[in-house]
Amino acid sequence: MPLMTPASFRAWDRNERLGILNGWAVFTGDGFLNVSVVVVGFAARLGAPNWVIGLLPAIAAGGWMLPQLLVAARVRSLPFKLPVYRSAALVRTGTYVAMVLIAALLTDSPALCLTLFVLAMLLNALASGVSGLPFLEVVSKTVPSARRPRFFGTRNLYGGLLAFGAGLLVRWILASDLPFPLNYALIFALGTAAFTFGYWVFGLVTEPADPPLARQGTRAEFRAIPATLRDPHFRAFLIVRLLLAAASMSEPFFAVNALRELNYPAATLGVFVMALTGAAPLSNVVWQRVAERKGSRRIIRYASVFYGLAPLYAIAVGALGLNAWAYLGVFVLSSVATQGFNLGHTNHLLNIAPEDARSRYIGTLNTLVGAALFTPVIGGLLADRVGYTPVFAVSGLLCAAAWWQCGKLRRDA
């Protein structure tokens, strides 16, 4: 993708420009408040047990997906979806401010600090699940389908570069003389500012009204789940997603393993964020080419290999006593896999879902997989008993099972 100039940015429609700015701000916020690296590092610094550390990314991912089926039933009939997005964004901003204050003021009572921080994260994740569907609905109405690939590509590429810059700042702050917990409170405050700007910008989009639709209750959505599960292509895809969700049990412990077992300095968390965010835009370009030539099924299968290699590589680095720079490969592999999943999962689901039942397929899949994303809590309990290495090994085996199951996915999807 060519470098964007001010003139080329102005060439976008106003709504498209606002959507791109929103993406850049959200990517930046994600760099500062990366759950798998920065937030779990904060929890580890407070002495949180592994099951609590596993709960943090589970809340962030599962909390986003679980409300989808309920939100779909409520939002579908509304002519304007943006007011729902704005309300959820207001709640999310409030929870981020709460996280900053909790980190700055309550670390002298670690148990209370962790409890309130987790509750704020849970409310934030549920609000993000409410805002996700309205966001996609508004984008689908304001960005023409022919321009969407470039729209999301521009968001992701430059947003990834900004997130990389956020990682640099995280590393500098954690290596500075600013004491704990003020260093983490500053990082969380910078993320809050970025997210708040992004939500405000997207709230300025001019949304056209949808034609009025009859309201469908949540009971009808849930009653339709058995019919959706009777689709063999959907069942095969669901099994793959559930296996990969279970394999995510090791992800929050990559950074914690580096701090607690390998004794890397806290400033390396910023380098880990840089590895995650730096690999994302570059791998996304490669995955797009694979998608065009091989299709979504092959992308998911390849990504499963990278995802399985990440925990096995973490085991190898620890066994060989290598330094923090070698450990960066764990986050590069994880980031490459995540980009592949983001592209492959979305395309495959949209290709196998009937047009008249697409929202039901999306809502059903996200709700079921969202519940499975709480397996990192099980990983934390296992790590407390036997250590991180068995958790990493189990994740590798689950990825191998997902790779095998990919052979049952529809080949033309």
Side-chain angles (χ1 to χ4, degrees):
M1 182 179 295
L3 291 176
M4 177 173 287
T5 63
S8 63
F9 181 68
R10 287 194 297 270
W12 290 85
D13 175 80
R14 174 182 178 274
N15 285 337
E16 295 169 346
R17 291 199 302 270
L18 292 172
I20 290 172
L21 285 173
N22 162 265
W24 293 351
V26 168
F27 271 93
T28 304
D30 282 335
F32 287 115
L33 277 156
N34 185 281
V35 178
S36 296
V37 178
V38 180
V39 176
V40 301
F42 173 70
R45 182 69 171 76
L46 287 173
N50 284 312
W51 73 267
V52 173
I53 290 173
L55 183 64
L56 298 176
I59 286 174
W64 182 84
M65 299 180 81
L66 284 173
Q68 297 283 312
L69 201 60
L70 299 175
V71 174
R74 295 277 183 174
V75 170
R76 188 183 296 118
S77 61
L78 298 176
F80 294 100
K81 278 71 174 179
L82 202 53
V84 177
Y85 175 89
R86 292 193 189 106
S87 298
L90 185 62
V91 173
R92 297 192 73 190
T93 298
T95 59
Y96 283 128
V97 172
M99 290 179 202
V100 175
L101 296 176
I102 291 167
L105 303 175
L106 297 179
T107 52
D108 288 338
S109 302
L112 177 63
C113 181
L114 280 171
T115 300
L116 294 178
F117 197 91
V118 168
L119 289 175
M121 278 194 64
L122 177 61
L123 183 57
N124 181 283
L126 293 174
S128 73
V130 172
S131 66
L133 188 60
F135 171 81
L136 290 175
E137 291 274 11
V138 172
V139 168
S140 68
K141 290 193 288 183
T142 56
V143 181
S145 58
R147 292 172 66 91
R148 283 177 208 154
R150 189 171 174 225
F151 171 82
F152 283 110
T154 302
R155 277 172 54 101
N156 295 348
L157 176 60
Y158 293 95
L161 295 175
L162 288 168
F164 183 85
L168 281 172
L169 278 175
V170 169
R171 180 176 182 272
W172 178 78
I173 292 170
L174 292 178
S176 70
D177 295 330
L178 191 65
F180 179 86
L182 296 181
N183 51 0
Y184 278 97
L186 175 58
I187 292 169
F188 296 160
L190 292 171
T192 299
F195 279 126
T196 301
F197 175 75
Y199 301 152
W200 172 74
V201 163
F202 195 77
L204 299 177
V205 168
T206 303
E207 177 191 7
D210 283 325
L213 296 174
R215 185 170 179 174
Q216 187 172 0
T218 55
R219 290 185 179 181
E221 297 286 345
F222 281 101
R223 283 198 296 264
I225 290 178
T228 306
L229 293 175
R230 283 195 288 270
D231 182 340
H233 300 302
F234 180 82
R235 285 201 311 273
F237 184 53
L238 175 63
I239 292 173
V240 171
R241 291 297 309 273
L242 290 175
L243 286 169
L244 292 171
S248 71
M249 70 166 61
S250 65
E251 193 165 340
F253 304 111
F254 292 151
V256 180
N257 178 60
L259 296 176
R260 290 181 171 175
E261 298 296 325
L262 304 181
N263 297 314
Y264 297 152
T268 57
L269 294 179
V271 182
F272 296 160
V273 173
M274 292 161 58
L276 280 170
T277 56
L282 299 176
S283 62
N284 193 53
V285 174
V286 178
W287 285 126
Q288 286 181 359
R289 294 182 179 179
V290 175
E292 293 171 356
R293 298 177 182 179
K294 302 291 186 179
S296 60
R297 171 182 167 273
R298 194 68 63 87
I299 288 180
I300 299 170
R301 201 163 206 184
Y302 291 164
S304 299
V305 174
F306 284 101
Y307 204 47
L309 286 175
L312 300 180
Y313 184 81
I315 295 173
V317 171
L320 297 174
L322 303 179
N323 61 23
W325 293 105
Y327 201 76
L328 289 181
V330 176
F331 297 94
V332 171
L333 289 168
S334 178
S335 180
V336 170
T338 299
Q339 297 307 309
F341 291 145
N342 288 343
L343 181 61
H345 288 167
T346 302
N347 286 344
H348 194 83
L349 180 59
L350 293 178
N351 289 338
I352 66 173
E355 289 187 10
D356 59 346
R358 188 167 291 161
S359 62
R360 174 160 50 87
Y361 270 56
I362 294 172
T364 301
L365 183 82
N366 285 347
T367 300
L368 295 176
V369 174
L373 286 171
F374 283 84
T375 53
V377 179
I378 299 174
L381 293 172
L382 182 61
D384 282 331
R385 289 182 174 272
V386 295
Y388 298 115
T389 297
V391 177
F392 295 164
V394 171
S395 287
L397 290 174
L398 288 168
C399 287
W403 176 88
W404 178 81
Q405 177 66 21
C406 283
K408 300 182 180 181
L409 296 179
R410 205 175 86 185
R411 294 177 179 272
D412 62 341

